[in-house]
Amino acid sequence: MSTQPQEYQAPVWNEPVIMEMGYPGRRGVVFSDVGPDIESRVGPVADLVPAGVRRRQPPALPELSEPEVLYHYLRLSQQTLGMMGVSLFGTCTMKYNPQVNEELAWRPEVTEVHPHQHEDTMQGTLEIVHNADLVLREMSGMDQFVFQAGGGAEAAFTNCAVVRAYHASRGELEQRDEIITTIQTHPCNAATAAAAGFKVITLMLDENGYPSLDALKAAVSDRTAGLMVGNPDDMGVYNPEMKEWVRIVHEAGGLCFYDSANFNGTMSKIRPREIGFDACMFMLHKTFGAPKSGVGGPAVGAYGCSAEVAPFLPAPLVVQDGERYHLDYDRPQSSGKIREFFGNVPVVLKAYAWVRSMGAEQIAQASDLSVLGNNYMEKGLLAIRGITRSHPDATSPRMEMTRYSVQTMKEETGVDVHDVLNRMSDFGVDPAWTSHEPWLVPEPFTPESGEMYGKEALDLWVAVMQRISDEAYSDPQIVKTAPHHQAIHRLRPGVIDDPDTRAMTWRAFRRKTGR
Amino acid sequence: MRGRTAHPYMANSVPAIQQEMLDSIGVDSIDELFSQIPADHRSTRPLDLPPALSEAELKRHLVGILSKNRTCEQNLSFLGAGAWQHHVPAACDEVVRRNEFLTSVFGEPSSDHGRNQAWFEFSSQLGELVDLELVGLPVRSWGSAAGHAMRMAARLTGRHEVAVVRAIDPERLSVIRSYCEPAEMAGHIAVRLIDYDPATGLVDLDDLRAAVGQQTAAVYFETPSYLGIIEHQGAEIAAIARAAGAETVVGVDPISLGVLASPVHVGADIVVGTIQPLGVHLHTGGGVGGFIASRDEDRYAHQYPTLLLSIGETLQEGEYGFGLSLFEQSSYGLRDKGNDWTGHSVYMWAIAATTYMAMMGPRGFEEIGGQILQRAHYAAQLLSEVEGVSVTFPQGFFKEFVVNFDETGRSVDAVNEALRDVAIFGGKDLSEDFPELGQSALYCVTEIHTQSDIERLVEAIRKVVT
């Protein structure tokens, strides 16, 4: 580990909020007149709007020329670290978003197609969606995928809707009102189950890092609608008893959903269906190489299930009939829609393109590399003073992530995890992911090396942590006052939550500050 | 060790590097690192996928498939109904494809500063259009926004029924029903549909009065409605809702808000809608996105399921940054005890939309609204002069209107098929979802449709039906 981290300086543009910019009368876009024929035929605009609902005051938007707007947002993009250095954001599987996939997804055959076009005019789109379905079936063992969910959480919600429809079809929905999950399964599973109307039973971990079989057995009953679980979990811990879990839940009459958010380390190694799961979900914007877009989408949670569950999927499904492809809306047992139309087609295309670029061998290698990279980093990180990992006594290697803690560092130096994260960015490294709530491990951080980065980048990341630890133990103020080289300093504690100061819009900000 | 040739996406796909890393860990093979997966969990057979393609092959493969599509650029399209073709300035596409935005994460407010500011500017500008101070980060669609708003209203009032206009996009209604839970669930929110006046397309106020009562959590209507109608009875509707103690939730298309007043001025409590018209392409339906806005009152703020982003002063006086506000009430903070759920949404479309709104400015919105109104009315008037063709609600619409073909003896399906032969995509067929409207289609005309486009449509339809 001879890598010496170099300090980085973010662009400091002091860019004003756009609401403060501009000059009255400037225009960023104009529209050609309707012309005299239309004007004389339909009359003035004012006469076409009922008087009571006409806008009286123009919206107080800025008035700017086109380049002023463009360069404002380009400067803002420069003030976003955004993986320009190294970003190992755990549970998000940062990986390369191939430029060719972006280029293909921005062709007019994708961007300028309307979802209500006749299927004769979008056979290409439907073929790509179907092809994506086929490769995901092969990777999961499932029988049918649907792409309607605009993200992983929405795919979890899809599962809840499908589970409702499944039990309703058997007349058991009123009785089966409980969903079982685990504390280290992504929060969206518990949240969507609750929003779908289920009672949520959350199993806690035992000393091995996953809940015990006894805890599961105590939770299942004739009220069990289903299980929603990630494996490996958000700490890179794989539950080896999962086959037995599935058997127990099935025996109780529930359906089993595998949240494959953390699939990167297990792809090619396992198939969720072969373990017994009825349904699973893949993040096309993580595992399959499409951008996460600021952990915000547009994204796709591809939801796949067994033939037994497929009748309950939200319509439409893309189906092949000989040489042609159709959107199948005729699905009488369908759960109802999760989102309008049939999915974020550009993201589906990018995922399919990623699979075709990789092929089976390289997909297997990607999972190898992500687990190799994580264990390689673990060796380096655990040698750093003040850093420990969760479940230190569990001897088997972690999968593609490891949950660490700087609790020791905090106790010995006063430097907490947010201090560390802020200091990381001074070296051009994106702050690491901490942990979902609740923090079972105090002062947590969770890197995920993925398969994109080379050994040098992983070494740099570890070296940055080493440097920060050295600083924490020698001159902690450097870390506690970080960042020193970012576009802005840290926010004043509390200002964004205090009702007197928090402001989600410029107009709220102006009112609260009297500006 | 697999993969004799390194893959361009993976820097460590070189066997010698892998050996260095294995040596450092102190294990002999990568397989040893997978020891926690039991043998009986392992795949029964290797992955069988189509062969890997080089970049050149991949591009040829996908361009070949995509060439089977016909686009709204090559054809003249009048489809709307949930995704609308507006002009997208090229600058929006440049900004929304910036890698720094695309590959950013939730780090610290300092490292995500530029993107956070862009998101705040999205909420701020949308707030000006709807005249509201509290705007959440976007949700995945208009239907998602409306569904969340119904649940917010149910929590606010402790009631379990919502009154929803029947003249609504069936896709959106289906999403709302999914959010409101089926009748078997303890938390079920009943969706009661309110008729529209068959003469005007406006909300039937008598039906609304009869439906709304002490059980009503929210009244939900849209302006313009799915059938294109500008709902000008908002004040009466809101008064009926308020008298019953219900929330008034209104759906809007923000591109209309340069000429139409925000429904806040007639009593809306929560405003929802789409953001797709604001600088986002159709993307085959992947362009949809939604928003939720309200007054900045604790009562509403504490019910938002969305992420919320606040401006705030940094430790350096006079310097401002942006951070997640009220995070602990989200599902990230409280899991199943949080407000509904949040997760990946369409945040890049917020960046497209903020760029769009900044380029438009107040004059742009006023102009585009006027243009759309005039062009759409021109199209409707010309179409209604075609023998056998009528416009069902000929007045008071914005960019969409219902065209009826009953008197031509032809189905919408047949008309649209004939139009496709002359490179025109006719309006969305309403005959299944709104059988009472007969053989009708929902036509959408926007600022992109020129006089000659409209006249070409009218002539094509004249040929088809005579």
Side-chain angles (χ1 to χ4, degrees), chain A residues 10-77:
Chain A
V12 182
W13 286 109
N14 294 308
E15 193 66 12
V17 173
I18 202 155
M19 311 305 282
E20 300 175 285
M21 296 170 67
Y23 195 90
R26 277 193 199 138
R27 296 293 299 269
V29 58
V30 294
F31 302 95
S32 49
D33 281 345
V34 295
D37 294 352
I38 293 180
E39 182 78 31
S40 64
R41 171 93 192 203
V42 303
V45 170
D47 293 352
L48 300 175
V49 180
V53 293
R54 279 181 213 146
R55 186 159 196 128
R56 306 283 170 200
Q57 294 287 329
L61 295 171
E63 297 178 71
L64 294 156
S65 68
E66 176 175 336
E68 287 173 312
V69 175
L70 176 68
Y71 285 102
H72 170 73
Y73 286 107
L74 295 186
R75 286 190 291 271
L76 291 186
S77 74

Side-chain angles (χ1 to χ4, degrees), chain A residues 32 41 340 368 397 496, chain B residues 2 36 140-141 325 371 385:
Chain A
S32 49
R41 171 93 192 203
E340 293 91 321
D368 284 356
I496 55 173
Chain B
R2 299 188 191 87
Q36 64 278 54
R140 294 147 299 274
S141 69
S325 178
Q371 291 248 337
E385 289 170 4

Side-chain angles (χ1 to χ4, degrees), chain A residues 491-499 501-502:
Chain A
L491 295 176
R492 219 172 267 277
V495 289
I496 55 173
D497 279 320
D498 181 341
T501 52
R502 71 174 185 234

Side-chain angles (χ1 to χ4, degrees), chain B residues 443-462:
Chain B
Y443 272 73
C444 175
V445 173
T446 74
E447 78 285 359
I448 66 160
H449 294 101
T450 65
Q451 182 178 345
S452 65
D453 289 339
I454 292 165
E455 289 166 1
R456 190 178 137 210
L457 168 73
V458 174
E459 284 320 301
I461 287 185
R462 199 187 307 279

Side-chain angles (χ1 to χ4, degrees), chain A residues 83 85-95 373-374 377 381 400-402 421 424 429-434 445-454 457-462 465, chain B residues 103 105:
Chain A
M83 206 167 94
V86 183
S87 180
L88 309 181
F89 203 73
T91 78
C92 273
T93 316
M94 303 306 290
K95 64 171 69 182
N374 183 50
M377 287 183 66
L381 287 168
E400 82 294 7
M401 288 186 272
T402 298
L421 299 183
M424 288 178 81
V429 171
D430 274 284
W433 171 239
T434 51
F445 72 97
T446 317
E448 180 179 356
S449 57
E451 78 269 17
M452 166 177 74
Y453 288 109
L458 306 184
D459 287 343
L460 172 66
W461 208 93
V462 174
M465 282 306 217
Chain B
T103 54
V105 295

